[in-house]
Amino acid sequence: MRKVAVIGMGNVGAAVAHQLVVGGYADELYLYDKNEAKVKADALDFEDSMDNLPFNVNITVNDYDALKDVEVIVSAMGNIRLLDVPNPDRFAELKHNRVQVEEVGAKIKASGFHGVLVDITNPCDAICQLYKETTGLPYEKVIGTGTLLDSARLHRAVGKFFGVHPKAVKGYSLGEHGDSQFVAWSTVKVLEQPIAELAKEKNIDLNAVDEETRQGGFTVFYGKKYTNYGIAAAAVRLVHAVLSDSKEQMPVSNYREEYHSYLSYPAIVGREGIVKQCKLDLTEEELQKLQHSADTILSKAQAK
Ligand SMILES: NC(=O)c1ccc[n+]([C@@H]2O[C@H](COP(=O)([O-])OP(=O)(O)OC[C@H]3O[C@@H](n4cnc5c(N)ncnc54)[C@H](O)[C@@H]3O)[C@@H](O)[C@H]2O)c1
């Protein structure tokens, strides 16, 4: 029995739950939201899709005791309207979300949950730390989607410039899931060729690719005032890695002792959460950017 929970049934949580249902990723799905009418409506809507789907999923609403036997919890709660301000910063949600995480984290702990918690709620890296503290889970069992989404945006942008599919692009955006993240170009390859070499050959300006990567998320956000499908795909990939113990390498937010912080850096994900932290051969400049990103996460989390 694959048991998965999604907490927060807004734009993101509903997209995650939908992908879990139509993709047949779970046998038991537990949905939670303070807005009971919304979560019940989504649950019924999913049940109405069951007759026309090749999979069955049993759905339960707002039962926190049931978390005891759940394998993966996805946190998608928050308040996206707080980001709809001029020059938004993902830390704009921290004050609000800290209170929600304290409340929900205590309920998760009380349930006896001992699986893996995947956090989407922003600011992702700071919220992972808060979940770790409030749930009492070990560091390796609290994982943030982090720059898994930003790396997918990078792969899309590189694919567009170089005329290849995003899957033909490897490499990472690292650090904060926020403004201080950066593309570690030394890790990026297109069809196995280092991107710096190929960019020279094809006379492509990597700054333009960087800009396209950064702007992608904003274009989606300002078009509809939220983003959901890209992040849902990232979160479900993580859920699947845990459920199937796939031991995939992914750039996710994980606690890095050397930076005293959660931040995105590739790690191997399996049934027990982060089963191994990877080691990249970054340039001196990239190492400095990563340190700056870690410092930013810690100082912003303390300031708010
Ligand atoms: N990490 C990423 O890459 C990424 C990408 C997109 C969105 N996000 C974040 O995901 C979160 C959700 O985004 P959204 O667009 O779905 O927001 P939203 O405002 O549409 O939905 C949030 C939902 O959470 C619910 N909620 C709030 N507090 C709760 C609590 N204590 N218990 C249960 N439910 C609670 C609300 O009722 C609401 O339905 C935000 O924090 C957003 O910034 C992260």
Side-chain angles (χ1 to χ4, degrees), residues 3-291:
K3 299 186 174 188
V4 181
V6 183
I7 304 182
M9 241 347 81
N11 307 297
V12 173
V16 170
H18 182 248
Q19 193 176 330
L20 290 169
V21 168
V22 301
Y25 287 98
D27 301 302
E28 301 282 340
L29 185 61
Y30 300 86
L31 305 179
Y32 302 81
D33 203 293
K34 272 186 161 172
N35 181 344
E36 199 159 295
K38 170 71 163 83
V39 65
K40 282 186 170 165
D42 274 336
L44 191 56
D45 214 356
F46 290 139
E47 282 167 359
D48 284 344
S49 61
M50 234 51 92
D51 192 33
N52 289 308
L53 288 176
F55 313 103
N56 179 59
V57 191
N58 297 318
I59 300 177
T60 306
V61 166
N62 281 351
D63 178 359
Y64 275 93
D65 292 338
L67 289 176
K68 185 177 190 299
D69 301 319
V70 162
E71 282 158 276
V72 192
I73 295 175
V74 179
S75 169
M77 65 189 188
N79 184 351
I80 199 63
R81 286 182 303 279
L82 296 173
L83 290 192
D84 192 16
V85 292
N87 305 317
D89 173 325
R90 288 189 181 84
F91 274 81
E93 272 187 280
L94 181 57
K95 205 170 157 200
H96 174 270
N97 289 349
R98 174 181 278 138
V99 178
Q100 310 311 316
V101 170
E102 281 167 1
E103 181 188 307
V104 169
K107 288 184 191 168
I108 293 173
K109 188 176 187 176
S111 75
F113 172 74
H114 52 278
V116 174
L117 192 151
V118 169
D119 178 62
I120 296 174
T121 301
N122 273 327
C124 189
D125 308 286
I127 293 291
C128 283
Q129 180 65 36
L130 280 176
Y131 265 127
K132 193 263 169 271
E133 288 163 12
T134 56
T135 60
L137 289 166
Y139 277 119
E140 64 273 16
K141 289 200 163 182
V142 178
I143 310 175
T145 50
T147 61
L148 187 57
L149 172 60
D150 308 287
S151 297
R153 286 178 176 148
L154 166 69
H155 299 169
R156 177 191 54 74
V158 170
K160 187 173 149 189
F161 276 80
F162 289 82
V164 297
H165 188 275
K167 280 189 189 288
V169 184
K170 302 290 173 222
Y172 308 108
S173 281
L174 300 179
E176 180 195 3
H177 172 63
D179 295 342
S180 68
Q181 70 176 256
F182 64 99
V183 176
W185 290 111
S186 71
T187 66
V188 182
K189 288 185 175 173
V190 179
L191 294 168
E192 288 298 300
Q193 190 176 1
I195 196 164
E197 260 176 48
L198 198 62
K200 219 179 232 172
E201 274 170 31
K202 293 189 177 276
N203 202 18
I204 292 173
D205 178 8
L206 290 184
N207 291 319
V209 185
D210 200 322
E211 191 54 25
E212 168 78 24
T213 305
R214 282 178 186 279
Q215 284 311 318
F218 291 111
T219 308
V220 177
F221 183 81
Y222 287 116
K224 56 184 190 179
K225 305 290 183 169
Y226 58 88
T227 72
N228 59 344
Y229 299 125
I231 182 58
V236 172
R237 182 176 165 203
L238 248 173
V239 168
H240 186 58
V242 175
L243 290 175
S244 62
D245 197 21
S246 72
K247 305 216 167 60
E248 267 184 80
Q249 177 172 316
M250 287 184 255
V252 289
S253 188
N254 59 115
Y255 186 79
R256 300 290 304 207
E257 190 70 53
E258 66 274 42
Y259 293 105
H260 311 291
S261 178
Y262 269 91
L263 51 76
S264 282
Y265 197 103
I268 308 291
V269 179
R271 184 170 296 283
E272 298 305 316
I274 301 292
V275 294
K276 189 174 178 356
Q277 294 186 311
C278 305
K279 180 91 186 81
L280 297 171
D281 196 10
L282 297 176
T283 65
E284 207 43 56
E285 191 189 348
E286 288 166 348
L287 285 170
Q288 280 173 16
K289 286 182 177 172
L290 195 56
Q291 183 65 59

